[in-house]
Amino acid sequence: MYFIMFGLVAFIFLIRLFFLQVIDDSYKAAAEGYTIRRLIEHPVRGNILDRNGEVLATNEFAYDLMLIPAEAGEVDTFLLSSLTGVPMEDFRKAYVKVERNLESGQNHSKQPQALVRELTLKSMAAFKEKMYLFPGYFLSKRSVRRYPNPTAAHALGYIREADKKAIENNPYYQAGDYIGVAGIEKSYEEILRGQKGVRKVYVDVRNNEKGPFMQGALDTASVAGYDLTTTLDLPLQLFGEELMKSKKGAIVAIEPSTGEILALVSAPNYDPNWMVGRNLRMHYGDLIQDKNLPMLNRAVMDGYPPGSIFKVMNALVGQQEGVIHRNTVVPCRGGFRLSAAHTVGCHGHPDANLPFSITTSCNAYYCHVFNEITKKYPTPREGYSVW
């Protein structure tokens, strides 16, 4: 029985092979005239929205000039530069990068690599007309990050090409892929990025696509990234940034009942669109060298003493410990003497009760409150621990 089944399967395979190799010559013709090219379909990155659905980060489509080193020969670089509008020097740097990727093993010679990002529509059309002169070169459509409002750069972060370390740490990424490297773009990278797909196509001798290989039976569709709704409030964020113009510092607005971040402002800041695609190369160096440190997220990366805001906490502790109440008056003239050598000054008013001390941010009043708390207990250390 097993021999009969085995023989039947072998007979079917033989008939199919005979049909493909002798009778049907379509695959032979395709092989003679076409090349099969494997293309990566990059997914659309998920949008980032504020709490009310206003778009903070979205996408636009652009075309990248791609190169397959194994299929490329000597080309007229001057003509390539003229068609695309990209300076010759930029092409030289791009070719050096391709060579480095090949030498380091980040890419292999049959794998497409991005040579120039984000060609304009005019450049794309001009190159497409002459593409047959450049074997191994082709155009790839992909989505590019855009930030409709030039705001919240430090909160949103930015994306850029994955570096060697990112590629080594995660097999998902290949040379030329984008990855979030700061802010929300980095923290939610796996949610926002989506999933890449693969498309195989026939390409003729003039470098033009001639249709899907095997009618697309081996293709896998890309999966778009998820949209992400944040707790940021766009109008409040814009208002905070307006307040901080020409200043250094940070504002973080928090909804006390939930802990939600409504606005996160760091000043000076920058337009997040400067960190996209070819703009990144133009602006990144200037931002890094700027003595005002616009890329420093002062809201989370710098340290600030709590200052007068903490006096309100001291007032709450003082009331809880019963050493003051709303109408407790402290003589403030002359300040609060810590020692013979040091006195904490006041703002010049003679006396202050609790509400007045808050409105005037009275230093002497809160030194008195802290002193009264520690005096309640056997030792200052114990009083300090209770405080």
Side-chain angles (χ1 to χ4, degrees):
M1 182 65 180
Y2 289 109
F3 288 107
I4 296 174
M5 291 180 64
F6 180 79
L8 182 61
V9 171
F11 180 69
I12 293 172
F13 272 106
L14 288 172
I15 292 175
R16 182 59 179 164
L17 286 172
F18 178 79
F19 178 80
L20 290 175
Q21 295 182 11
V22 179
I23 299 175
D24 185 1
D25 62 354
S26 60
Y27 286 95
K28 179 182 178 183
E32 291 175 348
Y34 300 145
T35 297
I36 299 170
R37 179 174 291 163
R38 183 178 183 272
L39 303 176
I40 300 296
E41 292 287 296
H42 292 277
V44 176
R45 196 171 179 87
N47 296 318
I48 301 176
L49 313 172
D50 87 335
R51 64 190 302 111
N52 300 309
E54 295 291 331
V55 177
L56 300 175
T58 187
N59 307 281
E60 293 179 357
F61 286 105
Y63 286 88
D64 296 342
L65 178 60
M66 307 295 291
L67 166 67
I68 301 177
E71 298 179 10
E74 293 293 329
V75 298
D76 186 340
T77 311
F78 178 77
L79 176 60
L80 191 59
S81 175
S82 301
L83 291 171
T84 59
V86 177
M88 292 274 287
E89 182 61 27
D90 288 358
F91 271 113
R92 292 192 186 98
K93 292 178 180 178
Y95 286 125
V96 169
K97 183 178 179 181
V98 169
E99 288 296 327
R100 287 176 180 170
N101 286 341
L102 292 174
E103 292 172 1
S104 66
Q106 289 188 51
N107 258 344
H108 54 77
S109 61
K110 293 185 178 181
Q111 183 177 337
Q113 298 196 53
L115 200 62
V116 177
R117 297 290 190 189
E118 298 178 48
L119 291 178
T120 64
L121 290 176
K122 182 179 179 181
S123 298
M124 183 270 293
F127 174 78
K128 204 165 186 178
E129 288 183 0
K130 302 289 185 180
M131 195 163 60
Y132 66 91
L133 298 174
F134 302 95
Y137 292 73
F138 65 98
L139 296 169
S140 176
K141 185 179 180 182
R142 72 182 303 154
S143 63
V144 177
R145 211 55 161 162
R146 286 290 179 261
Y147 303 92
N149 295 282
T151 186
H154 296 92
L156 295 173
Y158 62 96
I159 63 175
R160 70 180 179 198
E161 283 191 44
D163 57 18
K164 183 178 180 181
K165 184 178 180 180
I167 294 171
E168 289 175 349
N169 292 339
N170 192 328
Y172 175 87
Y173 298 103
Q174 298 175 345
D177 287 348
Y178 283 108
I179 185 174
V181 292
I184 293 171
E185 297 279 21
K186 177 182 180 180
S187 298
Y188 294 92
E189 165 67 12
E190 293 187 7
I191 294 173
L192 291 167
R193 76 185 181 195
Q195 187 66 38
K196 288 184 288 189
V198 177
R199 185 167 61 95
K200 292 185 176 182
V201 297
Y202 287 118
V203 180
D204 65 15
V205 293
R206 296 175 69 85
N207 217 14
N208 296 311
E209 286 190 25
K210 303 304 291 184
F213 172 66
M214 292 184 65
Q215 289 75 49
L218 302 180
D219 295 352
T220 56
S222 62
V223 179
Y226 289 100
D227 290 348
L228 187 69
T229 299
T230 70
T231 62
L232 294 175
D233 184 283
L234 179 58
L236 187 62
Q237 179 74 29
L238 292 170
F239 177 64
E241 292 185 5
E242 183 67 26
L243 291 177
M244 293 300 292
K245 274 188 176 179
S246 303
K247 300 181 178 71
K248 287 183 181 179
I251 298 174
V252 181
I254 303 173
E255 169 53 54
S257 63
T258 61
E260 293 173 340
I261 305 298
L262 304 178
L264 190 145
V265 178
S266 177
N269 61 2
Y270 58 90
D271 185 341
N273 290 298
W274 291 353
M275 309 300 284
V276 175
R278 294 168 70 179
N279 288 339
L280 177 63
R281 184 174 55 191
M282 295 191 313
H283 295 287
Y284 187 75
D286 293 337
L287 290 171
I288 288 294
Q289 296 175 26
D290 191 326
K291 63 181 182 180
N292 292 315
L293 304 178
M295 293 194 70
L296 174 66
N297 187 348
R298 289 174 166 83
V300 299
M301 298 173 67
D302 214 343
Y304 303 94
S308 294
I309 293 174
F310 202 71
K311 292 173 184 174
V312 180
M313 182 67 73
N314 209 9
L316 293 171
V317 177
Q319 290 177 90
Q320 182 176 311
E321 288 297 302
V323 300
I324 59 169
H325 51 77
R326 177 182 177 84
N327 296 317
T328 299
V329 176
V330 173
C332 298
R333 192 186 300 275
F336 183 88
R337 186 176 295 276
L338 291 173
S339 66
H342 188 71
T343 299
V344 177
C346 193
H347 297 130
H349 49 261
D351 304 309
N353 61 12
L354 180 55
F356 187 76
S357 73
I358 293 174
T359 59
T360 58
S361 189
C362 178
N363 297 324
Y365 192 96
Y366 290 100
C367 287
H368 170 81
V369 171
F370 180 79
N371 188 52
E372 291 299 310
I373 293 171
T374 58
K375 282 165 59 177
K376 274 188 61 178
Y377 296 90
T379 66
R381 179 175 294 278
E382 185 178 348
Y384 174 70
S385 297
V386 171
W387 176 86

